[in-house]
């Protein structure tokens, strides 16, 4: 066994060496595909000489990056508080998706307490919470069977009073409520850069430039992004946002933290046999196909959407 292991190590070393040689040999002939200006500064690229790099700037009280549930809820609450105190507060929200909710793909089991605090009359407003949870099931999977596990009161898998939702639909509805309150929403504009004051504090954000070729050169249609300056900038772009990573680096925010962990979620919507469809049922599993060293599991939510639809997902 020791001899086999040693032979495998030598083979791996030879493969890596040959891979490095082939990469070095090919770099001269393969063009550079992407040249983002944060990696390859434009002031050192002759192709950008003479290009107008001036950006138009707008002033706002609050700029929010990301129109997910968090960003939209923050915008809505700010406008509600401004109305309660008879103040004019300009709130601008930028979202990379072409439509609000288009990048929100998760099926979800929603605990509605925060929504009730935001809109006590959410039912009258037509919030898309169409499927109250009627049943919880939990199980441990093996390769050949399913072991049912009783769900005791107080466990996190108890979803009594919660709703199964299409989260993209809910986010779209929240966007409508935000616009009705006067929030300025700009879908289709990705926040590409954090802007800073001279003292190092956050000044705002800049949206993405348009009209750039694949190799990083400017097209004839090149246009600079828009600068949005604000008294307060809220970053609600998700757990792995590229602006958040700029802030981690700038302010050394990960200095005294445990290593960050992330989950990958895969989800599909399935139309199933109507005889197997139980609107309001929530099912979760752990176990197979994961081993005991890997955290994760599956979810299966039976939606009440006028057809036998389920949200099936797996998280690792």
């Amino acid at each position: 066994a020791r001899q086999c292991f040693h032979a495998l190590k030598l083979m791996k070393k030879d493969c890596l060496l040959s891979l490095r040689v082939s990469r070095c040999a090919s770099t001269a002939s393969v063009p550079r595909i992407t040249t983002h200006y944060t990696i390859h500064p434009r002031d050192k690229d002759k192709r950008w000489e003479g290009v107008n790099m001036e950006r138009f700037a707008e002033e706002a009280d609050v700029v929010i990056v990301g129109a997910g549930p968090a960003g939209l809820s923050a915008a809505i609450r700010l406008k509600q508080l401004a109305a309660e105190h008879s103040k004019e507060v300009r709130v601008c929200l930028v979202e990379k998706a072409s439509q609000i909710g288009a990048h929100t793909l998760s099926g979800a089991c929603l605990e509605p307490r925060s929504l009730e605090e935001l809109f006590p009359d959410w039912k009258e407003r037509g919030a898309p919470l169409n499927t109250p949870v009627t049943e919880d099931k939990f199980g441990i999977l093996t390769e050949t069977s399913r072991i049912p596990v009783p769900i005791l009161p107080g466990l996190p898998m108890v979803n009594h009073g919660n709703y199964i939702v299409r989260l993209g639909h809910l986010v779209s509805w929240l966007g409508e409520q935000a616009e009705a309150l006067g929030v300025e929403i700009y879908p289709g504009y990705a926040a590409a850069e954090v802007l800073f004051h001279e003292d190092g504090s956050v000044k705002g954000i800049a949206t993405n430039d348009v009209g750039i070729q694949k190799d990083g050169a400017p097209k004839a249609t090149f246009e600079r992004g828009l600068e949005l300056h604000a008294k307060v900038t809220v970053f609600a772009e998700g757990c792995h946002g590229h602006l958040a990573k700029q802030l981690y680096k700038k302010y050394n925010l990960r200095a005294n933290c445990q290593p960050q962990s992330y989950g990958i979620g895969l989800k599909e919507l399935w139309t199933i046999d109507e005889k197997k469809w139980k609107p309001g049922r929530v099912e979760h599993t752990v176990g197979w196909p994961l081993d005991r060293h890997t955290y994760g599991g599956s979810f299966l939510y039976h939606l009440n959407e006028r057809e036998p639809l389920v949200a099936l997902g797996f998280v690792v």
Side-chain angles (χ1 to χ4, degrees):
R2 193 178 293 112
Q3 287 176 339
C4 288
F5 183 67
H6 183 66
L8 283 170
K9 283 179 72 176
L10 289 174
M11 286 173 62
K12 184 178 178 183
K13 186 176 180 181
D14 289 343
C15 288
L16 287 172
L17 185 62
S18 63
L19 182 62
R20 286 195 195 101
V21 170
S22 64
R23 277 181 177 168
C24 291
S26 64
T27 49
S29 58
V30 178
R32 194 166 56 192
I33 301 299
T34 50
T35 56
H36 196 265
Y37 60 85
T38 58
I39 306 299
H40 305 284
R42 289 169 178 167
D43 58 358
K44 297 177 181 177
D45 190 334
K46 291 183 178 180
R47 298 174 301 176
W48 287 87
E49 289 179 1
V51 177
N52 181 14
M53 301 302 288
E54 188 176 352
R55 280 194 289 223
F56 182 72
E58 284 267 354
E59 295 285 341
D61 294 299
V62 180
V63 167
I64 299 173
V65 179
L72 285 165
S73 297
I76 288 167
R77 190 66 189 128
L78 281 166
K79 294 300 282 187
Q80 288 175 337
L81 288 168
E84 288 172 16
H85 293 85
S86 302
K87 291 184 179 292
E88 275 294 323
V89 176
R90 186 183 182 193
V91 180
C92 296
L93 191 152
V94 295
E95 165 58 38
K96 64 181 181 293
S98 59
Q99 296 178 353
I100 302 301
H103 283 188
T104 307
L105 300 177
S106 172
C109 194
L110 179 75
E111 198 269 278
R113 183 171 22 175
S114 296
L115 180 62
E116 288 169 355
E117 291 176 2
L118 205 60
F119 293 115
D121 59 343
W122 59 265
K123 290 183 181 178
E124 291 76 13
R125 290 173 176 262
L129 276 65
N130 305 316
T131 312
V133 175
T134 58
E135 180 187 5
D136 274 305
K137 295 185 73 176
F138 185 61
I140 300 171
L141 297 185
T142 70
E143 194 167 351
T144 58
S145 61
R146 181 183 188 276
I147 304 168
V149 177
I151 301 175
L152 302 174
L155 292 177
M157 292 301 179
V158 176
N159 286 292
H160 178 75
N162 295 347
Y163 290 82
I164 301 168
V165 298
R166 303 274 292 276
L167 198 58
H169 293 181
L170 179 62
V171 166
S172 179
W173 177 83
L174 284 172
E176 294 170 4
Q177 308 309 306
E179 287 188 311
L181 289 167
V183 178
E184 297 176 34
I185 299 179
Y186 299 100
Y189 289 90
E193 182 183 348
V194 184
L195 305 175
F196 299 96
H197 290 289
E198 290 183 2
D199 65 359
S201 60
V202 173
K203 184 178 185 179
I205 58 98
T207 62
N208 56 302
D209 299 338
V210 296
I212 303 172
Q213 297 182 59
K214 279 186 178 181
D215 63 358
K219 295 180 182 179
T221 56
F222 172 77
E223 286 185 18
R224 277 293 252 162
L226 171 71
E227 289 191 8
L228 283 169
H229 303 167
K231 299 181 181 75
V232 175
T233 306
V234 179
F235 296 90
E237 57 175 347
C239 69
H240 204 50
H242 67 287
L243 295 191
K245 285 186 280 188
Q246 291 180 29
L247 296 170
Y248 295 159
K249 187 176 180 180
K250 172 79 173 178
Y251 299 118
N252 203 20
L253 297 178
R254 304 285 316 164
N256 300 307
C257 300
Q258 292 182 347
Q260 183 67 58
S261 63
Y262 297 98
I264 293 176
L266 312 168
K267 190 214 82 172
E268 292 183 349
L269 286 173
W270 282 15
T271 302
I272 63 170
D273 183 347
E274 195 162 352
K275 294 175 183 176
K276 298 178 181 179
W277 179 47
K278 307 289 183 184
R281 175 184 284 180
V282 168
E283 300 185 52
H284 290 98
T285 72
V286 294
W288 186 88
L290 302 178
D291 61 28
R292 63 189 182 89
H293 303 293
T294 309
Y295 178 73
S298 77
F299 61 87
L300 182 66
Y301 301 150
H302 295 245
L303 291 151
N304 186 13
E305 300 278 346
R306 299 178 300 281
E307 59 178 324
L309 204 63
V310 296
L312 172 67
F314 198 82
V315 180
V316 185

